[in-house]
Amino acid sequence: MAKFYVNGEAIQFNAAPDTPLLWAIRDHIGLTGTKFGCGMAQCGACTVHVNGEATRSCVTPVSAIEGKRVNTIEGLPDSPVTKAVRAAWLDKDVVQCGYCQPGQIMSATALLAKNPKPTDEQIDEAMSGNLCRCGTYQRIRDAVKTASASLGTKK
Amino acid sequence: MNRRDFLKSSTALSGALVIGFYLPAGGRAFAQAPAKMVYPPNAFLRIAKDNTVTVVVKHLEFGQGVQTSLPMLVCEELECDWTKVKTELAGSNPVYGNVFMGGFQITGGSSSVANSFDQMRLVGAQARTMLIQAAATQWKVKPETLKAENGFVVGGGKKASFGSLADAAMKLPLPEGVKLKEPGQWKLVGKPTRRLDAPDKVDGKTVFGIDVKRPNLHTAVVMHAPVFGAQVKSFNADKVKAIPGVTHVIEITSGVAVLGKGYWAAKTGRDALEIEWDIPPESATLSTERLRADYRAEAKKPNGAVVKAAANADALKGAAKTIVAEYEFPFLAHAAMEPLNCTVEAREGSAEIWAGTQMPSVDQAAAAKVLGLQPAQVKINTMTTGGGFGRRANPNSDWIVDACEIAKAAKVPVKLVWSREDDIRGGYYRPMYVHRAEIGLDAQGNILGWNLDIVGQSILAGTPFESMMVKGGVDATSVEGTADTKYEIPNLAVKLHTVALPVPALWWRSVGHTHTAYVMETLIDEVAAASKQDPVEFRRKLLAKDAKFLAVLNLAAEKSGWGSALPPGRARGVAIVESFGTVCAQVAEVSLENGAPKVHRVTAAIDCGTVVNPLTVEAQVQSAIAYGLGAALYSELTLKQGGVVQSNFHDYRVLRLSDMPRVAVHVVPSGNKPSGVGEPGTPPIAPAVANALAALTGKRARVLPFANEKWA
């Protein structure tokens, strides 16, 4: 049995310990904002924060997160970074089908929480693990920069 | 939902004005309209007491923005408050038929906005007229003295909300002869409008098909044959049943399904399955290597079906120079982000389905057949969908049929979920094609003749669309963009060699143009280069009689700075393609980085008729370019011993953010009706990049993707 926290709530997980965190979140806890895209850490749709780090939940067994704090798209902290990213995503009208966007936003918030002023190269590096088949990449880049700029002005 | 259910649920919405309307088929892609179309008059619009307006969106929302653009059309005429507009996706019902497609309910062919343009505006205008009439009756004034404004009817010092008038308005007959606004009067159409579905998608609240929750729901995964055309011979499920959480193992037509409480249990169960397959001999020897040789040999044979014959069949004989070019295009998977899934509850005498589908009525009929029901007994809940690109418009309804077979046998509610491996290996691909061209030029570089042979599978053979779109052995989707080119090419001859394979084929964003545009546009470039003519200038000459093409080409050239100096190591290439009624030109700026092509900028110009939402047009062109560029640079599926070598995004590469060029989209202003937007941006990108790479390196990529070429 694994114990961990999802969006602040203590979870006792009784199914197979090799169950990926993704399926614990989706099928057992019932939070469906975290998406299944590839099952092998190639697309980033399943990105969550584990102790604040962007993590591909589809290849992270629950046995590896014992005692750790998991945040999903539904449980992002009510922080300036979260607000800035959400506002920028809406301002730039980023989403199309929207399926990959929770993962994109988890990667973007993890990046900006650590590095509020990323360079273009750092944005590319942090965001290139998240596939978007609608090709919203240009607006994603613009939105990360917009969020970054708004974080700067508030300091 | 059957018609009776539809009426029941609609009339249950007391206090809501509901209105529906149908335009006769415009008949662009499909000639004939169904004989009789009588529909419940309440399909597209509901106005609630609190003045919210719910627009029922008749097309699948899978990224292309119809959940915003269709409501914009309604709202423009209705004069409601845009901030109070809500949407829901329509289920399967003939009233939601595609006006351009004989009333078939299809989201495809880049037709969603185009076919809805008049229809949705008229829905809004009729509703507005009824609301004004209701107020006029109530206030005992002439309707001409009143007007609708931001969700209210106003006039003579009085004001009433649409919501307060909806009950009375609903009882009025549908007005006839309602006039639509002139474009100059539009307040919303043509204005950049942010997406209505964005907030929920940003917050992770949108429920996609894969997110559906139902009581006692079991997740199913299917082990399909590893080889196309193979069938289950026998299987051993002993190890599967020992896995905790596995509930059922069921043989279905396409393979063996494993059900469990949750995906991981089902998937773990599937991994433990032992299946012996019956592999037909012709499948066992199927390989890309063999097809490559077969297709290239076939392309040289004289026996292709004639798509277009040359006026002078001997035109090439006196050529001073002949260009011979053979092209190869690989199988491509759609690889939408949301893996295929379908939830089914089969009950006594009825069933309910939750799925993201581009052809709900086709799927409804297929489901009914499997479940032993009438189509009207099967309710389809159309779910917001994580991409499709054609994969969710399958005339065979493959994944819907699988889910229904499983639900019928298991007698429990089932959600079928495909893995990415299932998606990459599961067939229904953009087929492999080989083109062979022979072009004869005179000493001045003028074209004397142009022979083109195309070899590949038919997408439509064996589907209900065959009778409409396959004529004289020619599948229109295999050859579109060749014989009908707008270039003035003397003695153009096109032949099609149709090949039958056990690999299922399907349309993939922009369909035939995915390969034909590449061939036509790279060859036009090569012909220009043969006589040292500028590629834009050369195209202008061959397109001199087509004002629409010229305007698009000139805009792309101007905005890209065509002809201006570039830094060393960079080059530009151009391509212009008409598809889905829209002309799109693109100029790509490329270099080589670590020996591989890098696309820095793309300048796109487009004439798609009237623009309903400029933000959507920009987004769709960016999207189409990203989709086409990823395929051109990286994507291919290869066959070995009848199966697919690739399995997931690590070996079926698609575009990543770091590969994305800066895309600028410029629109040629037009007063014409809207034409396609979702697909027309895809065909030009591969040839524009190839032409830029040829300008840079002198190499002309004949075999896609470009990753197969040694560039440095």
Side-chain angles (χ1 to χ4, degrees):
Chain A
M1 185 172 71
K3 286 185 192 171
F4 49 93
Y5 300 87
V6 173
N7 301 334
E9 195 183 322
I11 302 291
Q12 296 203 346
F13 187 76
N14 299 317
D18 69 339
T19 304
L21 176 58
L22 169 65
W23 298 110
I25 291 168
R26 285 183 59 84
D27 285 346
H28 296 264
I29 300 166
L31 295 172
T32 55
T34 307
K35 299 303 189 206
F36 170 50
C38 71
M40 59 183 295
Q42 291 292 313
C43 79
C46 68
T47 306
V48 298
H49 296 172
V50 176
N51 288 0
E53 296 279 345
T55 302
R56 309 298 184 214
S57 65
C58 73
V59 293
T60 306
V62 294
S63 58
I65 55 155
E66 182 69 39
K68 293 185 178 169
R69 290 175 288 109
V70 177
N71 287 86
T72 69
I73 188 74
E74 295 93 343
L76 273 173
D78 190 20
S79 67
V81 166
T82 302
K83 285 178 188 162
V85 167
R86 281 188 171 143
W89 242 252
L90 294 176
D91 180 54
K92 295 295 170 191
D93 209 37
V94 171
V95 311
Q96 290 187 28
C97 85
Y99 191 78
C100 73
Q101 298 297 342
Q104 304 281 1
I105 286 166
M106 297 310 282
S107 288
T109 49
L111 167 68
L112 293 176
K114 278 191 174 175
N115 178 6
K117 294 286 161 195
T119 63
D120 288 1
E121 290 70 29
Q122 288 168 332
I123 293 171
D124 275 20
E125 197 186 320
M127 301 304 298
S128 285
N130 289 82
L131 290 179
C132 171
R133 293 291 283 149
C134 298
T136 63
Y137 297 134
Q138 182 161 320
R139 290 187 180 178
I140 287 173
R141 276 183 180 139
D142 291 351
V144 173
K145 286 183 197 178
T146 300
S148 167
S150 76
L151 288 167
T153 55
K154 280 173 195 161
K155 274 190 178 172
Chain B
M1 186 184 289
N2 67 27
R3 191 180 159 193
R4 193 178 308 138
D5 282 348
F6 198 93
L7 288 166
K8 213 190 295 169
S9 69
S10 302
T11 48
L13 297 157
S14 111
L17 171 70
V18 281
I19 186 166
F21 159 82
Y22 184 79
L23 270 184
R28 241 182 20 173
F30 292 73
Q32 69 277 42
K36 192 89 177 159
M37 284 196 163
V38 182
Y39 298 123
N42 48 15
F44 293 110
L45 179 57
R46 298 197 302 268
I47 300 173
K49 293 270 189 225
D50 66 359
N51 233 16
T52 56
V53 173
T54 301
V55 175
V56 181
V57 176
K58 68 175 190 167
H59 286 289
L60 177 65
E61 175 61 81
F62 55 164
Q64 83 284 39
V66 290
Q67 219 170 336
T68 306
S69 42
L70 267 49
M72 283 172 73
L73 293 168
V74 174
C75 188
E76 179 66 60
E77 290 290 342
L78 181 59
E79 302 286 0
C80 61
D81 177 352
W82 180 247
T83 64
K84 292 197 167 177
V85 172
K86 295 178 178 176
T87 59
E88 55 184 62
L89 299 185
S92 175
N93 190 298
V95 75
Y96 302 119
N98 188 318
V99 177
F100 286 173
M101 299 188 182
F104 287 102
Q105 197 176 353
I106 296 175
T107 299
S110 291
S111 64
S112 294
V113 167
N115 94 92
S116 305
F117 184 64
D118 289 340
Q119 186 184 28
M120 288 301 115
R121 287 185 301 147
L122 199 46
V123 164
Q126 288 182 319
R128 181 195 68 230
T129 306
M130 291 159 81
L131 289 159
I132 287 175
Q133 183 59 55
T137 307
Q138 202 174 316
W139 299 338
K140 299 188 170 62
V141 297
K142 287 192 167 156
E144 296 78 24
T145 65
L146 305 177
K147 63 177 179 176
E149 225 175 52
N150 207 34
F152 292 85
V153 175
V154 293
K158 288 190 170 176
K159 186 173 180 180
S161 75
F162 285 1
S164 70
L165 296 165
D167 268 346
M170 186 170 66
K171 294 180 184 115
L172 297 170
L174 266 188
E176 285 182 24
V178 173
K179 270 189 75 176
L180 299 179
K181 289 182 189 174
E182 293 299 320
Q185 299 170 289
W186 288 338
K187 298 174 198 156
L188 193 55
V189 170
K191 306 292 182 295
T193 306
R194 290 191 180 87
R195 298 178 63 115
L196 292 173
D197 56 352
D200 278 357
K201 286 180 173 177
V202 164
D203 290 344
K205 287 180 184 162
T206 301
V207 178
F208 292 82
I210 203 167
D211 303 328
V212 166
K213 292 176 185 170
R214 300 293 303 165
N216 192 32
L217 189 59
H218 290 58
T219 303
V221 297
V222 175
M223 180 64 91
H224 290 118
V227 170
F228 292 112
Q231 301 277 325
V232 175
K233 194 182 207 174
S234 64
F235 69 97
N236 182 341
D238 295 350
K239 290 178 190 162
V240 182
K241 287 174 181 159
I243 289 165
V246 169
T247 56
H248 305 67
V249 180
I250 295 164
E251 185 176 348
I252 60 172
T253 308
S254 70
V256 179
V258 179
L259 280 65
K261 297 307 274 181
Y263 178 85
W264 193 247
K267 194 254 179 201
T268 308
R270 182 174 73 170
D271 290 347
L273 259 179
E274 292 166 6
I275 305 181
E276 200 181 335
W277 299 95
D278 218 343
I279 298 174
E282 66 272 22
S283 291
T285 59
L286 194 63
S287 70
T288 294
E289 212 175 333
R290 196 193 95 194
L291 291 180
R292 189 173 284 155
D294 289 355
Y295 281 27
R296 283 180 185 259
E298 179 65 35
K300 290 179 186 157
K301 291 182 186 166
N303 60 344
V306 175
V307 183
K308 184 184 192 313
N312 172 9
D314 297 326
L316 265 63
K317 283 188 178 156
K321 182 182 163 98
T322 308
I323 297 170
V324 179
E326 280 184 18
Y327 291 87
E328 244 183 68
F329 300 90
F331 291 104
L332 294 173
H334 305 74
M337 285 310 301
E338 181 185 5
L340 289 176
N341 61 81
C342 175
T343 297
V344 183
E345 277 184 19
R347 310 174 189 121
E348 193 62 41
S350 73
E352 198 167 350
I353 289 176
W354 292 259
T357 160
Q358 295 174 246
M359 302 200 299
S361 46
V362 169
D363 294 333
Q364 182 186 43
K369 198 173 165 198
V370 171
L371 297 169
L373 299 169
Q374 293 303 309
Q377 294 172 302
V378 178
K379 179 181 174 184
I380 303 250
N381 299 284
T382 304
M383 303 305 295
T384 302
T385 300
F389 315 112
R391 182 62 182 87
R392 287 176 157 93
N394 186 347
N396 295 332
S397 307
D398 64 325
W399 83 107
I400 307 283
V401 166
D402 273 12
C404 289
E405 284 192 19
I406 297 164
K408 188 181 180 186
K411 298 183 171 59
V412 293
V414 165
K415 183 198 286 178
L416 170 68
V417 178
W418 279 36
S419 68
R420 181 58 57 193
E421 289 78 9
D422 297 335
D423 175 52
I424 300 295
R425 293 188 161 160
Y428 295 102
Y429 303 134
R430 193 291 298 273
M432 180 178 167
Y433 290 97
V434 161
H435 287 232
R436 185 173 199 278
E438 281 187 28
I439 301 169
L441 305 176
D442 69 13
Q444 286 74 46
N446 298 308
I447 300 168
L448 296 175
W450 181 313
N451 294 338
L452 180 64
D453 282 83
I454 303 172
V455 184
Q457 289 170 269
S458 166
I459 291 170
L460 298 171
T463 75
F465 300 96
E466 182 171 1
S467 60
M468 283 181 275
M469 293 178 72
V470 182
K471 304 276 184 211
V474 177
D475 180 333
T477 70
S478 299
V479 300
E480 55 189 352
T482 59
D484 56 338
T485 181
K486 291 283 166 64
Y487 289 119
E488 288 183 58
I489 299 174
N491 299 306
L492 174 63
V494 181
K495 286 183 188 168
L496 175 66
H497 307 250
T498 301
V499 174
L501 290 181
V503 184
L506 197 59
W507 25 52
W508 187 100
R509 196 175 193 167
S510 80
V511 199
H513 300 283
T514 58
H515 52 105
T516 59
Y518 187 82
V519 171
M520 296 303 288
E521 283 300 297
T522 56
L523 283 172
I524 284 288
D525 231 61
E526 207 165 333
V527 171
S531 54
K532 301 199 166 34
Q533 298 188 66
D534 176 78
V536 169
E537 195 50 46
F538 185 68
R539 283 175 171 81
R540 282 186 188 129
K541 273 191 224 167
L542 293 188
L543 295 167
K545 289 180 191 161
D546 196 303
K548 186 174 174 183
F549 266 78
L550 283 179
V552 174
L553 181 63
N554 289 338
L555 185 62
E558 178 208 327
K559 296 291 184 185
S560 66
W562 184 265
S564 65
L566 282 170
R570 285 208 189 184
R572 292 190 189 96
V574 66
I576 182 165
V577 182
E578 181 174 34
S579 61
F580 309 95
T582 289
V583 178
C584 184
Q586 292 168 16
V587 174
E589 200 176 303
V590 309
S591 71
L592 295 180
E593 273 187 13
N594 305 317
K598 170 84 183 172
V599 184
H600 300 272
R601 286 176 64 204
V602 177
T603 306
I606 188 168
D607 182 342
C608 55
T610 296
V611 169
V612 173
N613 187 354
L615 281 180
T616 302
V617 171
E618 184 197 60
Q620 283 305 293
V621 174
Q622 290 176 349
S623 170
I625 287 172
Y627 200 74
L629 181 58
L633 291 173
Y634 304 125
S635 308
E636 74 174 321
L637 296 174
T638 49
L639 303 178
K640 200 177 168 184
Q641 294 177 329
V644 176
V645 174
Q646 293 74 18
S647 64
N648 205 315
F649 289 123
H650 67 294
D651 52 9
Y652 185 72
R653 284 183 68 189
V654 299
L655 202 79
R656 291 187 179 274
L657 180 134
S658 51
D659 303 315
M660 183 73 190
R662 192 80 200 164
V663 176
V665 181
H666 303 278
V667 175
V668 176
S670 167
N672 293 329
K673 292 276 174 72
S675 50
V677 174
E679 292 167 274
T682 294
I685 186 62
V689 172
N691 292 338
L693 288 166
L696 186 69
T697 67
K699 286 184 186 174
R700 297 204 173 263
R702 304 278 196 222
V703 178
L704 273 83
F706 301 148
N708 288 331
E709 189 82 33
K710 273 201 164 57
W711 290 100

